[in-house]
Amino acid sequence: MTRIRAAITGIQGWVPPYILNNKELESMVDTSDEWITTRTGIKERHIQKGKGLGTSDMAAEAVKGLLEKTNTRPEEIGMVICATVTPDMIFPATANIISDKTGIRNAFSFDMNAACSGLLYALVTASKFIETGSVKKAIVIGADKMSSITDYTSRDTCVLFGDAAGAILLEPTTEEVGIMDSIMQSDGSGRFYLHMKAGGSLKPPSHETIDAKEHFVYQEGQPVFKFAVTKMADVAAEIMARNNLKSEDISYLVPHQANLRIIDATARRMGVGTEQVMINIERYGNTTGGTIPLCLWEWENKLKKGDNVILAAFGGGFTWGSIWLKWAY
Ligand code: UT7
């Protein structure tokens, strides 16, 4: 029997126009362009300004662009998954709202919360529906309005994050391309180091939680850094080893963009050179669900059919994972 795989057949990103650069941040908190650049690699990030706009608005732009460039009608889409930690609302799912805003009426749509690894979790989930034949066209979105949960008086976190959305079209293929293998992992004991303290059922919103600034990202940078360096590099090395892939076989590493030093460590461990690593953290910062699709979107013209691509991510939870795919077009 011919094996069906899920292949990426289109990719589209979207970032809001406003750019918050390190210089502007210097006027907001006690930081410097030098500190931010050397510790993180970030120079600027895009921020969604304007009332009444949420994650779904950025994602809808990406989805509309994706449908147009791939000549796909909204009614052909059977599944929409949105990876996000900044949903428009606790419920309904942001994926439902995006579907409504883009005319997608025949899909079942839901959100995936795996923080910075969300896009990988969502891609793997959607790929299983494609592989079994129950869905013919799926859209996987990574989108976050991180500015909505960032405390712009805290230099520890406000220099790190940006807003963005990316949308990926997945379709079945019988060729030797598409998603070849994946490893997804999580360790909930890591939740203490990276989370949002209030707003959920454990600690519903109250005047006290607002006064205590508990609706913003809380991160203990160093422990997260240590885990991220180890786990992202380990999982990328493991997926290569178990598929007998050597560094010279890899066309691109597409790492989650949280910190240039974590990206460098992962690339070193895999033995791949800088020219094989997609890096755009300097212009977008950490956009959580958005980082990997933004990279693929920007490198789309350089990718060739059959290229071996390794995606790798680490995020809150802790969650981490890696996907090996062969580019399909
Ligand atoms: O995306 C999901 C997963 N997240 C990650 O992977 C992030 C992992 N962590 C990191 O990337 C890094 O830990 C950070 C970039 C968040 C921080 O870098 P670091 O090298 O770990 O710095 P640190 O937190 O150890 O802070 C070092 C110093 C401290 O000052 P003292 O105590 O040494 O006097 C901080 O107060 O740098 C200070 N600092 C800053 N200084 C200027 C912290 N933030 C800033 C800042 N500007 N923005």
Short mmCIF file of all heavy atoms in Angstrom, two decimals, residues 85-113:
data_model
loop_
_atom_site.label_atom_id
_atom_site.label_comp_id
_atom_site.label_asym_id
_atom_site.label_seq_id
_atom_site.Cartn_x
_atom_site.Cartn_y
_atom_site.Cartn_z
N VAL A 85 -0.58 31.08 22.83
CA VAL A 85 -0.75 31.26 24.28
C VAL A 85 -1.46 32.58 24.56
O VAL A 85 -1.64 32.97 25.70
CB VAL A 85 0.58 31.22 25.07
CG1 VAL A 85 1.22 29.85 25.00
CG2 VAL A 85 1.55 32.30 24.59
N THR A 86 -1.82 33.27 23.48
CA THR A 86 -2.52 34.55 23.63
C THR A 86 -3.82 34.50 22.81
O THR A 86 -3.97 35.26 21.85
CB THR A 86 -1.64 35.72 23.17
OG1 THR A 86 -1.13 35.40 21.85
CG2 THR A 86 -0.48 35.96 24.11
N PRO A 87 -4.72 33.58 23.17
CA PRO A 87 -5.98 33.49 22.43
C PRO A 87 -6.76 34.81 22.56
O PRO A 87 -6.58 35.54 23.53
CB PRO A 87 -6.71 32.34 23.13
CG PRO A 87 -6.12 32.25 24.50
CD PRO A 87 -4.69 32.68 24.35
N ASP A 88 -7.62 35.06 21.58
CA ASP A 88 -8.46 36.27 21.66
C ASP A 88 -9.22 36.27 22.99
O ASP A 88 -9.38 37.30 23.64
CB ASP A 88 -9.48 36.28 20.52
CG ASP A 88 -8.89 36.77 19.21
OD1 ASP A 88 -7.65 36.78 19.08
OD2 ASP A 88 -9.68 37.15 18.31
N MET A 89 -9.76 35.11 23.33
CA MET A 89 -10.55 34.92 24.56
C MET A 89 -10.20 33.54 25.10
O MET A 89 -9.67 32.71 24.37
CB MET A 89 -12.04 34.91 24.24
CG MET A 89 -12.54 36.08 23.46
SD MET A 89 -14.25 35.79 22.96
CE MET A 89 -14.51 37.23 21.96
N ILE A 90 -10.56 33.29 26.38
CA ILE A 90 -10.34 31.94 26.92
C ILE A 90 -11.13 30.93 26.08
O ILE A 90 -10.65 29.88 25.74
CB ILE A 90 -10.79 31.85 28.40
CG1 ILE A 90 -9.96 32.80 29.27
CG2 ILE A 90 -10.74 30.41 28.90
CD1 ILE A 90 -8.66 32.24 29.78
N PHE A 91 -12.37 31.25 25.76
CA PHE A 91 -13.13 30.49 24.77
C PHE A 91 -14.08 31.45 24.09
O PHE A 91 -14.40 32.48 24.68
CB PHE A 91 -13.87 29.29 25.42
CG PHE A 91 -15.10 29.67 26.22
CD1 PHE A 91 -16.36 29.74 25.61
CD2 PHE A 91 -14.98 30.01 27.56
CE1 PHE A 91 -17.48 30.10 26.36
CE2 PHE A 91 -16.10 30.37 28.30
CZ PHE A 91 -17.35 30.42 27.70
N PRO A 92 -14.51 31.19 22.86
CA PRO A 92 -14.18 30.03 22.05
C PRO A 92 -12.75 30.08 21.54
O PRO A 92 -12.05 31.09 21.69
CB PRO A 92 -15.17 30.15 20.88
CG PRO A 92 -15.38 31.62 20.72
CD PRO A 92 -15.34 32.16 22.12
N ALA A 93 -12.34 28.98 20.91
CA ALA A 93 -10.98 28.88 20.40
C ALA A 93 -10.71 29.97 19.36
O ALA A 93 -11.59 30.31 18.56
CB ALA A 93 -10.77 27.50 19.77
N THR A 94 -9.50 30.48 19.38
CA THR A 94 -9.10 31.49 18.39
C THR A 94 -9.18 30.91 16.98
O THR A 94 -9.49 31.63 16.02
CB THR A 94 -7.68 31.99 18.73
OG1 THR A 94 -7.73 32.55 20.05
CG2 THR A 94 -7.22 33.07 17.77
N ALA A 95 -8.92 29.62 16.85
CA ALA A 95 -9.03 28.96 15.53
C ALA A 95 -10.45 29.11 14.97
O ALA A 95 -10.64 29.29 13.77
CB ALA A 95 -8.65 27.49 15.63
N ASN A 96 -11.47 29.04 15.86
CA ASN A 96 -12.87 29.23 15.42
C ASN A 96 -13.04 30.65 14.86
O ASN A 96 -13.69 30.86 13.83
CB ASN A 96 -13.86 29.10 16.57
CG ASN A 96 -13.86 27.73 17.25
OD1 ASN A 96 -14.40 27.59 18.32
ND2 ASN A 96 -13.25 26.74 16.61
N ILE A 97 -12.46 31.60 15.57
CA ILE A 97 -12.62 33.02 15.18
C ILE A 97 -11.89 33.29 13.86
O ILE A 97 -12.40 33.97 12.97
CB ILE A 97 -12.11 33.94 16.32
CG1 ILE A 97 -12.86 33.62 17.62
CG2 ILE A 97 -12.26 35.41 15.94
CD1 ILE A 97 -12.28 34.28 18.87
N ILE A 98 -10.70 32.71 13.73
CA ILE A 98 -9.93 32.87 12.49
C ILE A 98 -10.72 32.27 11.31
O ILE A 98 -10.83 32.88 10.24
CB ILE A 98 -8.55 32.18 12.60
CG1 ILE A 98 -7.71 32.79 13.72
CG2 ILE A 98 -7.79 32.25 11.27
CD1 ILE A 98 -6.53 31.93 14.15
N SER A 99 -11.29 31.09 11.54
CA SER A 99 -12.07 30.44 10.47
C SER A 99 -13.22 31.35 10.04
O SER A 99 -13.47 31.54 8.85
CB SER A 99 -12.62 29.09 10.94
OG SER A 99 -11.56 28.21 11.21
N ASP A 100 -13.90 31.94 11.04
CA ASP A 100 -15.02 32.82 10.71
C ASP A 100 -14.53 34.04 9.91
O ASP A 100 -15.16 34.44 8.93
CB ASP A 100 -15.69 33.27 12.01
CG ASP A 100 -16.90 34.14 11.73
OD1 ASP A 100 -17.74 33.72 10.91
OD2 ASP A 100 -17.00 35.26 12.28
N LYS A 101 -13.40 34.60 10.32
CA LYS A 101 -12.90 35.81 9.65
C LYS A 101 -12.36 35.54 8.24
O LYS A 101 -12.14 36.48 7.48
CB LYS A 101 -11.80 36.46 10.50
CG LYS A 101 -12.35 37.15 11.75
CD LYS A 101 -11.28 37.82 12.58
CE LYS A 101 -11.96 38.57 13.75
NZ LYS A 101 -11.00 39.10 14.71
N THR A 102 -12.11 34.27 7.93
CA THR A 102 -11.53 33.96 6.62
C THR A 102 -12.49 33.13 5.75
O THR A 102 -12.09 32.64 4.70
CB THR A 102 -10.21 33.18 6.79
OG1 THR A 102 -10.46 32.03 7.60
CG2 THR A 102 -9.14 34.02 7.44
N GLY A 103 -13.71 32.97 6.21
CA GLY A 103 -14.72 32.27 5.39
C GLY A 103 -14.56 30.76 5.38
O GLY A 103 -15.11 30.08 4.52
N ILE A 104 -13.81 30.21 6.33
CA ILE A 104 -13.64 28.75 6.41
C ILE A 104 -14.83 28.16 7.16
O ILE A 104 -14.98 28.41 8.36
CB ILE A 104 -12.29 28.39 7.09
CG1 ILE A 104 -11.13 28.85 6.20
CG2 ILE A 104 -12.20 26.89 7.37
CD1 ILE A 104 -9.75 28.68 6.81
N ARG A 105 -15.68 27.42 6.45
CA ARG A 105 -16.94 26.98 7.05
C ARG A 105 -17.05 25.45 7.19
O ARG A 105 -17.93 24.95 7.85
CB ARG A 105 -18.14 27.44 6.19
CG ARG A 105 -18.20 28.94 5.97
CD ARG A 105 -19.11 29.65 6.95
NE ARG A 105 -19.04 31.09 6.76
CZ ARG A 105 -18.30 31.91 7.48
NH1 ARG A 105 -17.55 31.46 8.46
NH2 ARG A 105 -18.28 33.21 7.23
N ASN A 106 -16.15 24.72 6.51
CA ASN A 106 -16.27 23.25 6.51
C ASN A 106 -15.21 22.57 7.37
O ASN A 106 -14.93 21.39 7.20
CB ASN A 106 -16.16 22.70 5.08
CG ASN A 106 -17.28 23.21 4.20
OD1 ASN A 106 -18.39 23.45 4.68
ND2 ASN A 106 -17.00 23.40 2.93
N ALA A 107 -14.61 23.33 8.28
CA ALA A 107 -13.49 22.76 9.04
C ALA A 107 -13.86 22.58 10.50
O ALA A 107 -14.69 23.30 11.03
CB ALA A 107 -12.29 23.69 8.94
N PHE A 108 -13.22 21.61 11.17
CA PHE A 108 -13.27 21.63 12.63
C PHE A 108 -11.99 22.31 13.09
O PHE A 108 -10.90 22.05 12.59
CB PHE A 108 -13.52 20.25 13.24
CG PHE A 108 -12.40 19.26 13.23
CD1 PHE A 108 -11.77 18.90 14.41
CD2 PHE A 108 -12.01 18.64 12.05
CE1 PHE A 108 -10.75 17.95 14.43
CE2 PHE A 108 -10.99 17.69 12.05
CZ PHE A 108 -10.36 17.35 13.23
N SER A 109 -12.17 23.24 14.02
CA SER A 109 -11.03 24.11 14.36
C SER A 109 -10.90 24.21 15.86
O SER A 109 -11.88 24.27 16.59
CB SER A 109 -11.23 25.48 13.74
OG SER A 109 -12.50 25.99 14.03
N PHE A 110 -9.65 24.19 16.31
CA PHE A 110 -9.40 24.26 17.75
C PHE A 110 -8.00 24.82 18.00
O PHE A 110 -7.17 24.89 17.08
CB PHE A 110 -9.55 22.88 18.41
CG PHE A 110 -8.64 21.81 17.86
CD1 PHE A 110 -7.40 21.55 18.42
CD2 PHE A 110 -9.02 21.06 16.75
CE1 PHE A 110 -6.56 20.57 17.92
CE2 PHE A 110 -8.18 20.07 16.23
CZ PHE A 110 -6.95 19.82 16.83
N ASP A 111 -7.75 25.21 19.25
CA ASP A 111 -6.44 25.77 19.62
C ASP A 111 -5.55 24.70 20.23
O ASP A 111 -6.03 23.70 20.78
CB ASP A 111 -6.61 26.91 20.63
CG ASP A 111 -7.22 28.16 20.01
OD1 ASP A 111 -7.41 28.17 18.77
OD2 ASP A 111 -7.50 29.12 20.76
N MET A 112 -4.28 24.96 20.16
CA MET A 112 -3.27 24.07 20.74
C MET A 112 -2.40 24.91 21.66
O MET A 112 -1.86 25.93 21.22
CB MET A 112 -2.44 23.50 19.58
CG MET A 112 -1.33 22.58 19.94
SD MET A 112 -1.89 20.94 20.39
CE MET A 112 -2.56 20.31 18.86
N ASN A 113 -2.33 24.51 22.92
CA ASN A 113 -1.49 25.28 23.84
C ASN A 113 -0.30 24.45 24.26
O ASN A 113 -0.39 23.60 25.12
CB ASN A 113 -2.32 25.70 25.06
CG ASN A 113 -1.49 26.52 26.05
OD1 ASN A 113 -0.26 26.52 26.00
ND2 ASN A 113 -2.16 27.23 26.94
#
